[in-house]
Amino acid sequence: MAPATVASLFEPIQLGPLTLRNRVFISALTRNRSVPTNIPNAVNLEYYQQRAKSAGLIITEAVLITPQGSEWPHAPGIWSKEQVAGWRKITDAVHKEGSFIFAQLWHLGRISHPDAPEQKAAGVPVYAPSAIAARGGKFRFIPGEPGYVTPTAIDDPTILLDLFEKAAVNAKEAGFDGVELHGANGYLVHQFLDSSSNTRTDSWGGSAASRSKFGLLVLERLNKVFGKDRVGIKLSPTGGYNDMGMPLEETIETFTHFITEADKLGIAYIDLVRYVDQLDPVFDGKKRGTKHDVISTYAHLMKNAKVFSNGGWTGEEAAAAVKDGKVQGVFFGMGWINHPDFAARLEHGKPLDNPLDYTTLYGKYYASEEEQRKGYVDYPAAEY
Ligand SMILES: Cc1cc2nc3c(=O)[nH]c(=O)nc-3n(C[C@H](O)[C@H](O)[C@H](O)COP(=O)(O)O)c2cc1C
């Protein structure tokens, strides 16, 4: 039996048609190990299989819906038959272990570089809502290690909706239980929501409702493919990362509108990411993000979708929040990197004592399979 301090995390939870065995979930973690291409491989499979033994729900690392110039050139995609086949092996392995897996669907928007090989191969510009560059970025594999560029404001955003829908069709074919829309951390959906990256004067920008339109239409497309209760979204209203953030009043107005409307669509969950100081960069001597309590501000708006959260939670704190009815499940990120059996350790009162190797978080750009395994699939499980 789980220690009393974490017991509430081990009560099963119903997510639409899925019965999750616990409330200890894995948040999306880009590990950049789909080497040498963007196709999920045997080492990726081993990584997910290890974690599926105890996780209640797994969100994959962010999955590129179309070829793009990511800062992580070995992030996996889901646009080709080969990628779908690679993911199929992973979803099968996860199901055999009794867990469930959602693909996190990712479009980078302005956080992409036109000189990266994948972006060049795509033959399209770096699209975003408006031609406003994010500050920061470092494309280490491009000569001169450039930062983010001024993107091209897309004329007709419905082109991008089509890409999300196609990715969802592929995710279904790959055997995923659902999809999570990456609406956080300053990528495309977030860029539409935030008035500092979206200054459009057409129906896709301006008011909170107009800035919400893109993300809500993506959710509708994903629902169309997967059906009710199989689509989630991750949101980081406090911003910061990737040069996101609005004044507090505008932030609350925007996310209140978005969450209220998203909830009406019949989605499975909304993951509210709390403010994490390390993810908030300093520009002009000031922190970029807009600190506020996302649970007390937004959770009450969710009448249908499950309230999940992420961002700096410990097991004990998460269990208390579940017990108090503040959230229904919690995503953990870093904890799962160096503990393949993170949920089992909580359940059996084992210490979280594997040291984390920061040098291997994102892998190596041009490394052998052996090197890719380091700091990825070689963290030991505890003895039970
Ligand atoms: C190595 C690494 C990769 C990450 N990749 C993603 C990603 O692909 N998609 C995403 O939504 N968040 C990503 N994140 C953020 C985590 O999912 C999570 O939101 C963050 O680490 C806070 O949770 P934690 O305090 O439990 O680690 C990443 C974080 C780390 C450390």
Side-chain angles (χ1 to χ4, degrees), residues 52 54 57 92 124 143 182 293 304:
S54 69
L57 175 67
D92 284 348
V124 291
H182 196 345
D293 180 343
N304 306 302

Side-chain angles (χ1 to χ4, degrees), residues 313-333:
W313 290 89
T314 64
E316 286 75 14
E317 193 192 6
V322 168
K323 204 167 162 205
D324 295 346
K326 289 190 177 138
V327 301
Q328 283 136 352
V330 173
F331 287 101
F332 298 85

Side-chain angles (χ1 to χ4, degrees), residues 71 296 365:
E71 268 173 297
S296 63
Y365 290 137

